[in-house]
Amino acid sequence: MPQALHAVTVTAEVTVLVPRGTDGTLTMAARDALAAIDRVRDVHDVAHAGFRPRATDIEVDVVAELTVGEARDREAVAGALRDGFGVRAVTVTAVEKGR
């Protein structure tokens, strides 16, 4: 029997590319990038964990708590987040039922 798809709330370590000159903080820019991902329903919290300047953008490391729709497991969640524009790396550290 196939597993049902449902929304899950996850904590994930994510690296996001943020354009140089973005208004606001790097954390807010990373939050906006995560919120723009198709399967992300809500971004609850984003904590800055580091950054690396590059030639035209900045790699921002964050720990984010968010709700992702239509996910089966950690790999499905990580794949959905990796599909986001500018997302470079994802490690899902915790999964719980959707809020």
Side-chain angles (χ1 to χ4, degrees):
M1 172 183 271
Q3 286 181 307
L5 299 177
H6 52 78
V8 294
T9 298
V10 301
T11 302
E13 297 170 359
V14 185
T15 300
V16 181
L17 297 179
V18 172
R20 287 183 176 265
T22 298
D23 290 337
T25 67
L26 294 175
T27 304
M28 288 305 298
R31 180 187 192 96
D32 292 345
L34 293 173
I37 297 172
D38 286 340
R39 290 187 25 207
V40 171
R41 292 188 181 173
D42 195 12
V43 179
H44 306 290
D45 188 35
V46 176
H48 184 262
F51 69 95
R52 287 169 299 291
R54 298 168 14 123
T56 59
D57 51 31
I58 301 170
E59 274 188 353
V60 181
D61 298 323
V62 295
V63 176
E65 181 181 315
L66 39 92
T67 299
V68 178
E70 301 178 18
R72 288 185 187 97
D73 53 29
R74 286 179 192 235
E75 285 306 312
V77 170
L81 295 177
R82 275 190 218 100
D83 286 344
F85 182 77
V87 176
R88 304 272 296 177
V90 176
T91 302
V92 176
T93 58
V95 177
E96 61 185 73
K97 277 193 145 179
R99 291 185 178 193

